[in-house]
Amino acid sequence: GGGTNPGPNAPVPPTGQALPAETAGFCTAAVDLAAVVNDGPDVPDPPPSPEDVANAYEEYQARLEPPLRAMEQATPPALQQDIATIARQARYAVATNDEAPLGTPEFDTATSRLRAFMITECRFEQVRVTAVEYRFDGIPPALPAGTVAFTMSNQGAESHELDVYRINEGVPQPFPELVVLPDDQRDVVLTSVGEISASPGAADTEFMTLIPGRYGVACPVPQGTTPGADGTGPPHAALGMVAEFTVN
């Protein structure tokens, strides 16, 4: 095929030369697909009526197909098998209205390989964050606009999340004050961008597209939470597990 024209956030390597159009198009679609895979079908728990479940998978398919088709048209040879696996499993989940195909070891391996390829070949800005009780290490004070690969490594004893928010225009308060507001008030001043969760000793990567503005990261997990038990203490964010940065 003739490739895809890169969008405004297409990656630019350190030399200042843009990636080839086909690679840039694949990378842009991969970011969109990674977001869909991370979100999954929006099925409430407990599940509603069969009709509501079917509607949730129809909406999931509408988000899934555009980036998946774009990637299938420009798949690098090294990822052909993995993209085929992601496509097969995701479409089977849609056909059966069942999330099980999205949680198999085969699917997890394919998505992990895709993320690894995106980090090495798409040349997105990378931010490596370490989570411990109760702070984040590695959040820079400023980042360039565009797609950023956030990797969080949990080196603490409790479960942690890295929730990224954009502080809405015209909001002057510092992020640590905003993120601990009640949900209805917080939703007025903050816009969720993405999140990463990891158990102790684990790490994960998510790709988030940032526009200029003020941002913050916070861990909402209750104090004392481990993979085997829910914590009963205050959210980690209230204990200081927050950070603020700007995007230029």
Side-chain angles (χ1 to χ4, degrees), residues 9-163:
N9 291 326
V12 177
T15 60
Q17 297 297 315
L19 291 174
E22 188 167 355
T23 302
F26 176 88
C27 291
T28 300
V31 171
D32 294 338
L33 181 68
V36 174
V37 169
N38 185 54
D39 292 343
D42 188 16
V43 180
D45 187 23
S49 68
E51 181 180 359
D52 289 334
V53 172
N55 289 338
Y57 277 91
E58 183 177 346
E59 189 272 339
Y60 175 70
Q61 182 183 32
R63 291 186 288 120
L64 171 76
E65 286 296 337
L68 184 55
R69 286 197 299 267
M71 292 174 66
E72 288 176 319
Q73 293 170 6
T75 302
L79 282 180
Q80 286 181 349
Q81 182 176 347
D82 296 312
I83 299 304
T85 296
I86 293 171
R88 181 178 65 253
Q89 298 289 94
R91 286 167 176 153
Y92 187 61
V94 170
T96 58
N97 289 344
D98 185 355
E99 201 167 358
L102 306 178
T104 65
E106 181 184 21
F107 187 81
D108 290 343
T109 297
T111 55
S112 294
R113 289 175 177 164
L114 172 60
R115 287 186 172 94
F117 179 93
M118 292 166 67
I119 290 173
T120 59
E121 301 298 328
C122 295
R123 308 178 193 177
F124 295 127
E125 185 79 18
Q126 295 184 49
V127 175
R128 296 179 176 88
V129 182
T130 300
V132 295
E133 286 77 31
Y134 297 101
R135 71 178 191 273
F136 293 116
D137 294 330
I139 302 292
L143 285 168
T147 299
V148 177
F150 284 93
T151 298
M152 184 185 75
S153 174
N154 185 351
Q155 297 184 14
E158 299 185 20
S159 299
H160 290 297
E161 287 186 17
L162 176 77
D163 288 9

Side-chain angles (χ1 to χ4, degrees), residues 180 219 234-242:
V180 295
C219 180
H236 293 170
L239 302 175
M241 201 166 182
V242 296

